[in-house]
């Protein structure tokens, strides 16, 4: 890790502002998945043990100004329960209310500020807002990997005013993704799927030349199949990406990188959970049907390739996994990865959601908590929230050695 972490600074007795990703799914004010809160516990517990005054901040949902449905109170309740310690709250994240709450903190206390996005200045990376937020603390810790790809006031703005380091979740995410992508144990395979090829072009580009094989499923397979002149019926195809699809297949061939496409498919009359469906070979898709999942022969083909791999990165579900009829391909791939003796890294919001919902997250080496951020990382692009943190000092050059 080239960035300083919370281990590298003295936090004892200090006011420490921690950007966490508490953007949890809510239903009628109830948290339906507390993974993100759990993932932030190591940093919070460490700071409590070191007797810091812990000031947590996060966004929640997409509010347009203050909204009672998107207050942080349920998150504070959940966090307090998980920590077995009280968590104070404030009715705002800046200004006199927040300042008073911070003044009341003793060493080891925890305060959760109100939803950052009640202020539009947060997403605008407004310098005055960032300064007001930074003025609450002596040190800044960014543990919100999930928002590291966005330059907002609480991820980049505050770093102009405070010494800024990474938290443990941020460190873990960066280390696993970096090792898998940039220093993989080979053979290294990439499984790619999801809705659209256009979302994944930079990822495919970055991985070409790094991976030893590509395995393609999901909606984007349709564009590749069409580029190879297979019938794809009513499947969503990105006509303007056909050229790219043909080109990347060609470039993979030049590099002798296997580029595995489905050999059979589950197709449906309509995109609905109750639609009529059947399994066909790739040259048998009727004009009025559409591709919904990969078929069992494709799963076997992929399994055969994955069996020899030592590192696998997976982004994009193999089918419309939200409908159980079309979740078999995604489930099968998740199970294969779970059983594989290899480094397995899952990135992307929907893919992580699928793996978690199938109860297989703990069987993977790493499931990224940051959908967009992990995708950006897989594109080989810098994350502004990470770039803004303090660099670890380069080791001194020793002369005469
Ligand atoms: P991630 O968030 O993991 O990066 P994407 O956002 O690219 O993944 O894609 C996820 C979506 O892709 C899911 O909602 C899933 O229903 C959809 N999808 C997968 N396969 C197909 C398909 N054959 N046709 C249409 N949509 C698909
Ligand atoms: Mg997605």
């Amino acid at each position: 890790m080239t960035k300083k972490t919370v281990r590298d600074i003295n936090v004892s007795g200090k006011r420490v502002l921690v950007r966490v990703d508490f953007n949890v799914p809510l239903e009628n004010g109830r948290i339906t998945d507390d993974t993100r809160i759990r993932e932030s516990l190591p940093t919070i517990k460490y700071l409590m043990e070191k007797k810091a005054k812990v000031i947590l901040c996060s966004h929640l949902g997409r509010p347009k100004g203050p909204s009672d449905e998107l207050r942080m109170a349920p998150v504070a309740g959940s966090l307090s329960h998980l920590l077995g310690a009280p968590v104070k709250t404030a009715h705002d994240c800046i200004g006199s209310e927040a300042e008073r709450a911070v003044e009341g903190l003793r060493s080891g206390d925890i305060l959760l500020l109100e939803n950052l996005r009640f202020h539009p200045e947060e997403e605008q990376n407004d310098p005055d807002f960032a300064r007001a937020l930074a003025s609450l603390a002596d040190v800044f810790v960014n543990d919100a990997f999930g928002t590291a790809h966005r330059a907002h006031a609480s991820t980049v703005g505050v770093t102009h005013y405070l010494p800024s380091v990474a938290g443990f979740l941020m460190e873990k995410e960066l280390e696993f993704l970096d090792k898998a992508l940039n220093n993989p144990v080979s053979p290294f395979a990439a499984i790619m799927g999801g809705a659209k090829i256009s979302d994944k072009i930079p990822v495919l580009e970055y991985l070409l030349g790094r991976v030893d094989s590509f395995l393609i499923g999901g909606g984007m397979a349709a564009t590749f199949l069409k580029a190879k002149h297979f019938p794809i019926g009513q499947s969503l195809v990105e006509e303007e990406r056909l050229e790219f699809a043909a080109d990347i297949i060609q470039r993979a061939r030049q590099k002798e990188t296997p580029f595995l496409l489905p050999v059979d498919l589950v197709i449906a009359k309509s995109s609905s959970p109750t639609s009529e469906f059947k399994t066909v070979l790739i040259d048998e898709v009727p004009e009025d049907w559409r591709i919904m999942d990969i078929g069992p022969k494709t799963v076997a083909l992929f399994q055969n390739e994955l069996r020899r791999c030592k590192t696998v990165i997976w982004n994009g579900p193999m089918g419309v996994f939200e409908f159980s009829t079309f979740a078999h391909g995604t489930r099968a791939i998740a199970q294969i990865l779970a059983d594989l003796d290899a480094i397995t890294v899952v990135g992307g919001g929907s893919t992580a959601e699928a793996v978690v919902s199938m109860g297989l997250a703990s069987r993977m080496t790493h499931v990224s908590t940051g959908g967009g951020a992990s995708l950006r990382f897989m594109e080989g692009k810098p994350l502004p929230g990470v770039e803004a943190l303090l660099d670890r000092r380069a080791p001194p050059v020793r002369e005469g050695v």
Side-chain angles (χ1 to χ4, degrees):
M1 181 75 172
T2 60
K3 294 294 176 180
K4 285 196 177 177
T5 75
V6 68
R7 273 187 226 96
D8 299 317
I9 51 165
N10 175 16
V11 293
S12 151
K14 299 247 174 79
R15 298 171 303 165
V16 182
L17 179 69
V18 189
R19 175 53 156 109
V20 280
D21 180 3
F22 283 168
N23 185 29
V24 289
L26 287 171
E27 251 167 51
N28 304 321
R30 264 195 54 249
I31 297 168
T32 53
D33 179 359
D34 66 357
T35 308
R36 286 178 168 171
I37 304 176
R38 289 177 188 276
E39 291 278 0
S40 71
L41 294 177
T43 299
I44 298 171
K45 283 183 179 164
Y46 176 88
L47 291 170
M48 285 170 78
E49 278 160 23
K50 294 283 174 192
K51 299 281 175 223
K53 298 173 181 172
V54 186
I55 308 160
L56 304 171
C57 64
S58 176
H59 76 282
L60 178 60
R62 298 179 176 278
K64 305 222 173 338
S67 122
D68 276 340
E69 288 90 75
L70 290 173
R71 292 201 176 279
M72 299 302 290
V75 179
S78 167
L79 176 63
S80 171
H81 177 74
L82 290 168
L83 282 171
V87 173
K88 300 178 181 187
T89 53
H91 236 59
D92 201 348
C93 60
I94 56 163
S96 56
E97 172 107 17
E99 284 159 18
R100 224 172 310 125
V102 170
E103 273 161 31
L105 290 179
R106 288 164 311 172
S107 293
D109 280 356
I110 302 174
L111 167 69
L112 176 56
L113 298 174
E114 192 48 274
N115 194 341
L116 290 162
R117 289 201 189 161
F118 285 179
H119 296 264
E121 293 85 355
E122 155 67 356
E123 288 182 88
Q124 293 156 2
N125 194 8
D126 178 87
D128 292 332
F129 177 77
R131 197 181 306 115
L133 194 58
S135 74
L136 300 173
D138 308 302
V139 192
F140 175 62
V141 175
N142 191 347
D143 212 21
F145 176 74
T147 42
H149 59 311
R150 310 229 183 268
H152 292 167
S154 68
T155 60
V156 170
V158 288
T159 67
H160 298 305
Y161 308 105
L162 292 173
S164 304
V165 299
F168 295 129
L169 174 60
M170 179 72 94
E171 181 186 39
K172 183 173 92 168
E173 289 272 8
L174 295 172
E175 282 190 350
F176 277 115
L177 288 168
D178 183 55
K179 187 161 185 314
L181 274 165
N182 301 322
N183 200 9
V185 183
S186 63
F188 174 25
I191 309 171
M192 302 279 301
K196 291 191 295 174
I197 193 170
S198 47
D199 296 338
K200 305 293 165 70
I201 287 175
V203 181
L204 287 161
E205 289 281 4
Y206 187 69
L207 292 178
L208 183 69
R210 283 171 194 273
V211 298
D212 299 301
S213 53
F214 282 104
L215 290 71
I216 307 286
M220 70 188 235
T223 303
F224 284 107
L225 290 173
K226 175 146 190 193
K228 294 189 78 171
H229 308 293
F230 286 103
I232 44 99
Q234 297 303 305
S235 310
L236 181 80
V237 157
E238 295 167 273
E239 295 290 339
E240 65 291 356
R241 302 296 180 207
L242 284 171
E243 210 173 308
F244 168 81
D247 179 59
I248 197 142
I249 290 173
Q250 174 64 20
R251 281 189 285 152
R253 186 177 304 137
Q254 276 162 8
K255 289 185 190 293
E256 294 179 19
T257 304
F259 199 92
L260 303 185
L261 291 173
V263 290
D264 64 344
L265 301 157
V266 179
I267 57 172
K269 271 263 167 84
S270 68
S271 185
S272 105
T274 53
S275 166
E276 192 188 333
F277 65 95
K278 60 181 176 183
T279 304
V280 297
L281 297 176
I282 44 165
D283 54 0
E284 298 172 342
V285 181
E287 181 50 38
D288 52 344
W289 290 61
R290 64 187 66 226
I291 300 168
M292 296 295 278
D293 197 6
I294 57 172
K297 291 193 169 68
T298 306
V299 170
L301 173 78
F302 286 6
Q303 179 164 30
N304 198 42
E305 173 64 20
L306 292 169
R307 207 173 279 156
R308 70 183 189 100
C309 292
K310 285 290 161 216
T311 307
V312 182
I313 190 153
W314 179 18
N315 168 248
M318 297 289 99
V320 184
F321 74 98
E322 294 91 340
F323 304 157
S324 59
T325 315
F326 308 111
H328 297 291
T330 303
R331 182 181 294 277
I333 293 299
Q335 191 63 55
I336 290 166
L337 291 194
D339 295 337
L340 209 64
D341 181 19
I343 295 158
T344 50
V345 173
V346 177
S350 297
T351 321
E353 186 192 312
V355 169
V356 169
S357 73
M358 291 167 184
L360 292 170
S362 65
R363 309 270 310 274
M364 307 293 170
T365 308
H366 183 63
V367 179
S368 178
T369 57
S374 64
L375 263 190
R376 184 75 65 89
F377 199 95
M378 287 185 228
E379 295 172 0
K381 304 223 175 84
L383 305 173
V386 177
E387 297 285 292
L389 303 177
L390 290 173
D391 284 314
R392 217 178 260 290
R393 221 179 321 133
V397 181
R398 284 196 284 160
E399 282 172 43
V401 178

